[in-house]
């Protein structure tokens, strides 16, 4: 060996590092065909540089067990960089036996006192990019976890360009809460999630997930919250989600889901339904009226067709109904006036026709009513003045006719009134209403344009 060793510690450390690099570079240069009893060693020249070992020199082969032991001391994130060195080394690094030996050096098994994880550690981050053998072995180390809350982990993408959800996550059978939101996770949702039979909360909100929603999620009978919004999911909403009888929250908004809304009438405990900003088509299922615990429905910005089902009157807990920017047609069911807790009703940007039902004035809790940009006809119903808490009334862009009722002077809580764009609507606004609203802060009177003048 021509390497001259210095007596100083710094020179000795540098020499060791140089020899390790030479050892690794041998795999890059030699391209040795794997043999059953070993892998190549390093031979240095007079300058201390590695020279490739010739094929077939068995006396110079390093036993595989020895090589495995040496490489097992490298961090899993570092050892994976050697996979492209040669096929023999790649085969070794992908084996389950090496994964177990390597992780034994660096991983620590979670105990029953560490059942919650709120922050990704070093190995957790690497887990997202490791081969399947590593993922399966590492799952055994964290198998006692009951709750995972790995949110806003933007540092993950700085270490891993396109992190995917590990399939081995389905081996964490004790999990009840899985929250990996706003972490820029890509790829598909693994089917193995269906193995988490104890799961109660699944939140993968705000990532870059693609592909369909696995139908197997419908078999998670203990699930109470499913939040997959703000991703790039495609395909139909699995009908099996209608079997999640314990579900209270269903958030699938801001994806690229298509097809019709499946039957959800068995979700008796559902309180929030969020399907906005997708490409959903077809009618609203009449069975939605069976969900008496439902408080919020948001299906705006889709392509729903058909009429509003009168069965929606069965939603006795409903506070907010948002169906704007769809293609719904037909009349507004007067039965909506029977909703005792309705606070916000937005039907903007559809093709609804007929008259505005005066029964909406029976909603004592109604604060916002937006019926703009439809094809509603007839006159403004006098009965709306009975909605004593109404703060926003927007009926612009319809086909309304007649005058603004004088009774609207009694709407003391009104803050915003928009009636422009109705060519048949005549004014002026009653003086009493003008006088009343001038006392209200930030009042917007949207009738300055598009409302012809006339005699009172």
């Amino acid at each position: 060996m021509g390497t001259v060793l210095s007596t100083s510690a710094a020179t000795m450390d540098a020499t060791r590092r140089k020899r390790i690099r030479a050892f690794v570079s041998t795999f890059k240069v030699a391209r040795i065909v794997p043999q059953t009893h070993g892998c190549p060693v390093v031979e240095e020249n007079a300058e201390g540089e590695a020279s490739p070992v010739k094929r077939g020199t068995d006396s110079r082969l390093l036993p595989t067990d020895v090589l495995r032991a040496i490489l097992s001391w490298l961090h899993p994130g570092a050892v994976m960089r050697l996979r492209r060195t040669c096929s023999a080394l790649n085969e070794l690094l992908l084996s389950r036996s090496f994964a177990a030996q390597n992780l034994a050096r660096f991983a620590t098994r979670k105990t029953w006192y560490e059942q919650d994880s709120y922050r990704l550690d070093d190995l957790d981050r690497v887990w997202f990019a490791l081969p399947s053998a590593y993922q399966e072995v590492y799952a055994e180390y964290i198998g006692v976890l009951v709750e995972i809350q790995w949110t806003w982990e933007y540092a993950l993408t700085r270490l891993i360009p396109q992190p995917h959800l590990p399939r081995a996550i389905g081996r964490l059978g004790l999990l009840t809460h899985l929250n990996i939101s706003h972490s820029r996770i890509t790829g598909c949702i693994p089917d193995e999630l269906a193995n988490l039979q104890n799961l109660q909360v699944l939140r993968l909100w705000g990532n870059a997930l693609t592909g369909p929603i696995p139908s197997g999620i419908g078999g998670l009978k203990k699930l109470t919250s499913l939040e997959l919004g703000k991703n790039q999911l495609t395909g139909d909403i699995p009908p099996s989600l209608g079997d999640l009888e314990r579900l209270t929250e269903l958030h699938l908004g801001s994806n690229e889901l298509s097809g019709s809304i499946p039957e959800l009438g068995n979700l008796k405990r559902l309180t929030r339904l969020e399907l906005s900003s997708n490409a959903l088509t077809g009618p609203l299922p009449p069975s939605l009226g069976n969900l008496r615990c439902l408080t919020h429905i948001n299906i705006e910005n889709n392509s729903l067709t058909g009429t509003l089902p009168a069965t929606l009157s069965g939603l006795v807990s409903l506070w907010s109904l948002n169906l704007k920017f769809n293609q719904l047609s037909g009349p507004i069911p007067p039965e909506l006036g029977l909703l005792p807790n309705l606070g916000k009703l937005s039907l903007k940007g559809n093709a609804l026709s007929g008259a505005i039902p005066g029964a909406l004035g029976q909603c004592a809790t109604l604060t916002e009513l937006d019926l703009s940009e439809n094809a509603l006809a007839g006159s403004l119903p006098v009965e709306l003045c009975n909605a004593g808490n109404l703060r926003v009334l927007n009926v612009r862009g319809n086909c309304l006719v007649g005058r603004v009722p004088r009774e609207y002077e009694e709407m003391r809580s009104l803050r915003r009134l928009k009636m422009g764009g109705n060519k048949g609507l005549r004014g002026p606004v009653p003086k009493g209403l003008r006088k009343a609203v001038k006392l209200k802060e930030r009042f917007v009177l949207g009738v300055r344009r598009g409302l012809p003048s006339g005699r009172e």
Side-chain angles (χ1 to χ4, degrees):
M1 305 290 288
T3 304
V4 180
L5 299 179
S6 173
T7 57
S8 65
T11 304
M12 292 177 65
D13 290 342
T15 303
R16 290 192 185 101
R17 290 195 297 269
K18 186 174 183 180
R19 290 188 174 186
I20 292 174
R21 288 196 300 268
F23 175 77
V24 173
S25 67
T26 302
F27 298 105
K28 297 180 180 178
V29 177
R31 298 181 182 177
I32 299 298
V33 176
Q35 300 191 26
T36 58
H37 58 282
C39 289
V41 294
V42 181
E43 185 180 66
E44 296 183 0
N45 56 23
E47 288 74 24
E49 297 178 350
S51 58
V53 179
K54 296 180 180 180
R55 184 182 307 177
T57 55
D58 294 349
S59 62
R60 295 179 180 271
L61 291 178
L62 186 65
T64 303
D65 292 342
V66 177
L67 179 63
R68 180 187 292 113
I70 294 173
L71 295 180
S72 67
W73 286 99
L74 293 177
H75 188 277
V79 76
M80 284 300 108
R81 300 191 186 103
L82 305 178
R83 286 180 55 188
R84 295 185 179 181
T85 302
C86 68
S87 59
L89 187 58
N90 182 61
E91 182 178 352
L92 171 65
L93 298 181
L94 292 181
S95 66
R96 185 181 177 87
S97 59
F98 178 78
Q101 187 174 0
N102 188 210
L103 287 172
R105 311 283 193 193
F106 297 91
T108 303
R109 291 186 183 274
K110 300 287 185 182
T111 66
W112 291 101
Y113 299 99
E114 302 173 296
Q115 290 186 300
D116 300 335
S117 178
Y118 291 91
R119 191 171 184 178
L120 282 166
D121 61 24
D122 183 43
L123 277 177
D124 291 336
R125 293 189 180 95
V126 174
W127 190 40
F128 283 84
L130 291 175
S132 58
Y134 266 87
Q135 293 177 351
E136 293 172 2
V137 174
Y138 188 67
E140 298 174 2
Y141 283 85
I142 60 176
V144 299
L145 285 179
V146 173
E147 185 170 345
I148 289 179
Q149 301 282 352
W150 295 338
T151 60
W152 299 97
E153 286 286 347
Y154 286 166
L156 187 61
T157 53
R158 290 199 293 268
L159 298 173
I160 307 168
Q162 294 182 333
H164 288 55
L165 278 176
R167 292 187 177 276
I169 206 167
R171 293 173 175 259
L172 308 182
L174 299 179
L175 270 185
T176 62
H177 291 68
L178 177 58
N179 184 359
I180 310 181
S181 301
H182 298 286
S183 298
R184 300 175 181 173
I185 303 296
T186 60
C188 298
I189 300 175
D191 294 332
E192 287 76 3
L193 285 182
N195 298 330
L196 305 178
Q197 290 299 315
N198 290 308
L199 199 62
Q200 299 174 16
V201 176
L202 176 58
R203 293 193 179 105
L204 303 176
W205 182 277
N207 288 291
L209 295 169
T210 56
I213 299 174
S215 59
I217 292 180
L220 303 177
K221 300 303 182 182
K222 296 183 180 180
L223 204 61
T224 61
S225 179
L226 177 59
E227 302 182 24
L228 306 177
K230 293 188 177 180
N231 282 285
Q232 302 168 25
L233 300 174
T234 56
D236 295 347
I237 299 175
S240 60
L241 298 187
D243 298 328
L244 300 173
E245 296 182 356
R246 296 188 183 183
L247 202 64
T248 60
E249 297 185 0
L250 178 58
H251 294 259
L252 304 178
S254 300
N255 281 288
E256 300 172 13
L257 299 172
S258 57
S260 58
I261 301 174
E263 289 295 329
L264 303 175
N266 292 328
L267 308 183
K268 304 297 185 182
R269 302 183 186 182
L270 195 66
T271 60
R272 302 182 69 95
L273 178 61
E274 169 67 62
L275 303 176
S276 63
S277 300
N278 281 287
L280 299 175
T281 57
L284 277 173
S287 59
L288 287 180
N290 300 331
L291 310 181
R292 300 176 65 85
C293 294
L294 205 55
T295 60
H296 292 74
I297 296 179
N298 186 2
I299 319 181
E300 68 170 320
N301 196 23
N302 280 280
S303 300
L304 298 180
T305 56
T307 60
L308 289 171
T311 54
L312 294 179
S313 61
L315 302 174
V316 294
S317 301
L318 191 64
W319 185 79
S320 175
L321 177 59
N322 186 356
L323 300 174
K324 64 183 179 182
F325 300 125
N326 279 283
Q327 301 173 22
L328 298 170
S329 58
I332 300 174
E335 288 83 359
L336 294 182
L338 301 177
L339 298 174
N341 296 296
L342 187 62
K344 294 183 178 181
L345 176 60
S346 180
L347 303 176
K348 177 181 180 179
N350 282 281
L352 299 173
S353 57
I356 299 175
L360 293 177
Q362 301 175 20
C363 298
T365 57
L366 191 63
T367 60
E368 296 182 17
L369 179 59
D370 189 351
L371 306 177
S372 59
E373 300 179 25
N374 280 283
L376 299 173
S379 58
L380 285 169
V382 177
E383 294 84 354
L384 283 183
C385 67
N386 296 327
N389 292 307
L390 193 62
R391 298 172 61 87
V392 177
L393 176 58
N394 188 355
V395 293
R396 67 184 306 169
N398 282 285
C399 303
L400 299 176
V401 297
R403 296 176 179 270
V404 180
R406 283 186 178 274
E407 289 79 0
Y408 281 19
E409 295 176 352
E410 302 173 10
M411 303 173 73
R412 302 299 182 183
S413 62
L414 201 60
R415 295 292 186 274
R416 180 171 298 176
L417 175 61
K418 293 186 178 182
M419 297 185 289
N422 290 279
K423 296 182 179 180
L425 198 61
R426 300 174 57 190
V429 174
K431 292 181 179 180
L433 179 59
R434 285 181 176 272
K435 183 178 180 180
V437 299
K438 284 181 181 179
L439 300 177
K440 305 301 181 182
E441 188 177 359
R442 298 187 301 275
F443 180 81
V444 179
L445 188 61
V447 298
R448 295 174 184 174
R449 299 178 181 177
L451 191 62
S453 61
R455 297 181 179 180
E456 295 189 281

